[in-house]
């Protein structure tokens, strides 16, 4: 029996890894839909306690005793390590499905599911659409890959048929979904440990587009995206971009630096609205235009769309401004691919700081080795560069790659393994008027927090 049929028949659902940022909003939605939810996690986190307050019975630690006889369905995250006692027992005694399967089922529960995919910009664009629809009174449900400040959460349940969800290509998880509106931001070489090559990546995005029920909003300026969806029939295709060949275009773009950007939105050559963004970087022009069109197609009025985009100050860890201490500005960004690093660092360099310090944590040995020269090129953009040890995550370093291999290719780069060493070095050398931005999808944000804590301590 598939998960869609099971969800129609059961009411008692258990989550293994319920505190995860991708699991918590799904559990919250099920609670709001009337399901009896429980779950476990090995980490006592903010999201773990949040879902407890929402009504879930939670267990700290993952043991088989958490699995009561009344459970009818178990959802687990693929972050669970092999040999996990609770998951192994669950698979023997209950219907079990991975998180992506539940997200896929939810995409079919709502009549207007907006699935946002792309190699870069998913979290920001998903957050933008969610904020717009909320401010337009369209009360969406949402599952976001980062925390949206407006709701101080990674997702929400809304009392409407609008469902906005980040749709990740890694491991082809987005192919479990059937969105009504697909937003394809861009296609680039990433997750090559899984996909192997760009052709396979494009094939997966095409399949995602084909699984979409109604409308495909796509970046008409991105050659890989255009190639991937070429020839698709039976859907409404809407192209967006900066060039006049697109149905929706961004014109009169002004990115003066700082945290404001401006452009005019045109539809089929006709002026629609002037848009002001409160997030930095030219890359957010197209992200916001995609959000504009997705919201417009979902029934939001133009005035509400513009207000939502103006009010959106960024998602957590997406050029997140952490504050100014001793005259030094600190920011944090999730960028972990050369293309993402380039747009973030180019935006930072235009913001008028005396010096920009990039503190980068390479993520996974395979990505670092495969894209070594590309990383080395973009990390020469800032004035100063510090590289931490590689965070291996799910990988074992069978390649023999080291962070020093990257640092040696970047003139003037300093390579320090620990956050303590990095913190001390940057604070000893950064000056008032400088920007320090930590970059990476691992835990490099801790280095920024460490620096800020040390400066606060010095001030007290």
């Amino acid at each position: 029996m598939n998960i869609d049929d099971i969800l129609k028949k059961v009411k008692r659902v258990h989550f293994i890894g319920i505190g995860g940022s991708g699991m918590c909003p799904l559990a919250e939605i099920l609670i709001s839909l009337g399901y009896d939810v429980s779950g476990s996690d090995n980490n006592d986190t903010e999201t773990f306690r949040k879902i407890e307050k929402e009504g879930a019975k939670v267990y700290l630690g993952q043991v088989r005793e958490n699995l009561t006889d009344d459970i009818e369905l178990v959802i687990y995250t693929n972050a669970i390590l092999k040999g996990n006692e609770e998951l192994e027992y669950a698979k023997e005694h209950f219907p079990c499905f991975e998180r992506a399967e539940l997200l896929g089922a939810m995409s079919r529960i709502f009549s207007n599911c907006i699935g946002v995919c792309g190699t870069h910009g998913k979290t920001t664009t998903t957050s933008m659409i969610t904020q717009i629809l909320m401010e337009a009174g369209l009360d969406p449900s949402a599952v976001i890959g980062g925390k949206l400040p407006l709701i101080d959460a990674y997702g929400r349940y809304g009392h409407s048929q609008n469902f906005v969800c980040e749709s990740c290509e890694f491991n082809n998880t987005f192919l479990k979904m059937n969105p009504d509106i697909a937003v394809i931001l861009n296609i680039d070489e990433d997750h090559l440990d899984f996909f192997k090559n760009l052709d396979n990546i494009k094939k997966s995005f095409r399949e995602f587009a084909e699984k979409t029920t109604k409308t495909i909003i796509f970046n008409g300026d991105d050659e890989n995206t255009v190639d991937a969806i070429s020839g698709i029939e039976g859907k409404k295709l809407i192209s967006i971009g900066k060039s006049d060949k697109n149905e929706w275009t961004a014109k009169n773009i002004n990115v003066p630096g700082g945290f404001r950007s401006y452009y005019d939105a045109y539809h089929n050559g006709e002026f629609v609205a002037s848009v002001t963004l409160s997030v930095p970087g030219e890359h957010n022009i197209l992200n916001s235009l995609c959000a504009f069109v997705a919201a417009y197609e979902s029934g939001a009025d133009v005035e509400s769309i513009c207000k939502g985009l103006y009010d959106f100050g960024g998602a957590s860890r997406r050029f997140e401004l952490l504050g100014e201490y001793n005259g030094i500005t600190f920011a944090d960004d999730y960028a972990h691919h050369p293309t993402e690093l380039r747009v973030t660092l180019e935006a930072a360099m235009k913001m008028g700081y005396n010096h920009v310090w990039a503190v980068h944590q390479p993520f996974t040995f395979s990505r670092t080795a495969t894209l070594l020269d590309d990383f080395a090129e973009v990390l020469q953009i800032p004035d100063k560069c510090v590289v931490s040890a590689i965070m291996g995550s799910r990988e074992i370093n069978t390649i023999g790659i080291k962070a020093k291999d990257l640092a040696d290719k970047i003139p003037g780069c300093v390579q320090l393994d620990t956050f303590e060493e990095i913190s001390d070095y940057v604070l000893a050398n950064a000056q008032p008027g400088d920007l320090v931005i930590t970059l990476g999808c691992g835990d490099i944000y801790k280095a920024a927090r460490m620096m800020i804590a040390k400066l606060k301590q010095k001030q007290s």
Side-chain angles (χ1 to χ4, degrees), residues 93-335:
H93 295 86
F94 304 97
C96 290
F97 292 89
E98 202 272 322
R99 171 194 176 273
E101 297 277 3
L102 177 59
L103 185 60
M106 285 187 176
S107 74
R108 294 181 285 275
I109 289 174
F110 294 87
S111 64
N112 186 46
C113 171
I114 305 169
V116 181
C117 71
T119 314
H120 319 292
K122 292 184 291 292
T123 297
T124 295
T125 307
T126 306
S127 299
M128 285 176 170
I129 297 169
T130 302
Q131 178 135 356
I132 292 168
L133 295 184
M134 287 181 67
E135 295 201 15
L138 297 177
D139 199 18
S141 296
V143 174
I144 309 168
K147 187 180 287 187
L148 175 60
L150 178 67
I151 57 177
D152 192 32
Y154 294 86
R156 72 184 300 268
Y157 174 73
H159 298 81
S160 77
Q161 285 298 308
N162 297 306
F163 178 40
V164 190
C165 58
E166 186 167 331
S167 309
C168 184
E169 74 277 10
F170 178 62
N171 280 357
N172 277 334
T173 55
F174 66 167
L175 298 186
K176 306 293 184 184
M177 301 176 60
N178 293 93
D180 300 290
I181 298 175
V183 178
I184 307 178
L185 300 168
N186 43 62
I187 299 174
D188 201 353
E189 288 186 303
D190 198 8
H191 302 302
L192 294 177
D193 53 328
F194 174 75
F195 286 110
K196 307 305 180 189
N197 56 55
L198 180 59
D199 284 342
N200 288 334
I201 297 172
K202 290 197 285 190
K203 285 176 185 176
S204 288
F205 275 90
R206 182 181 183 84
E207 188 174 343
F208 178 78
E210 288 175 335
K211 290 167 74 71
T212 302
T213 65
K214 297 175 184 175
T215 303
I216 301 168
I217 299 166
F218 67 98
N219 183 346
D221 290 345
D222 183 64
E223 184 179 334
N224 289 333
T225 301
V226 173
D227 185 37
I229 68 165
S230 176
I232 287 181
E233 298 179 349
K235 326 281 184 189
K236 182 178 180 181
L237 297 173
I238 303 175
S239 61
I240 69 97
K242 298 175 185 176
S243 63
D244 289 335
K245 65 182 179 182
N246 296 295
E247 181 175 340
W248 284 84
T249 54
K251 294 179 178 291
N252 306 318
I253 295 169
N254 181 15
V255 185
F259 283 79
R260 287 276 191 269
S261 301
Y262 311 89
Y263 69 94
D264 293 330
Y266 280 74
H267 183 227
N268 289 327
E270 297 292 325
F271 172 80
V272 176
S274 292
V275 179
T276 300
L277 301 180
S278 301
V279 286
E282 190 160 340
H283 59 290
N284 277 318
I285 300 295
L286 290 190
N287 288 340
S288 68
L289 186 57
C290 281
F292 190 117
V293 177
Y296 186 80
E297 289 291 311
S298 300
D301 62 276
V302 171
E303 184 178 351
S304 294
I305 293 171
C306 292
K307 183 178 186 305
L309 288 174
Y310 178 82
D311 290 343
F312 176 71
S316 174
R317 300 214 62 213
R318 271 65 181 180
F319 215 125
E320 181 181 6
L321 185 64
L322 303 177
E324 182 182 314
Y325 303 88
N326 281 19
I328 303 169
T329 300
F330 293 87
D332 177 62
D333 194 275
Y334 195 73

Side-chain angles (χ1 to χ4, degrees), residues 360 362 385-390 402-408 410 412-418 421-422 425:
H360 175 59
C385 180
V386 181
V387 173
S388 78
I390 298 170
K402 296 177 181 177
K404 189 174 184 302
D405 298 329
L406 173 60
D408 285 348
I410 305 166
C413 180
V414 173
Q415 198 279 306
L416 299 166
D417 283 344
T418 70
E421 292 173 296
I422 290 170
Y425 175 80

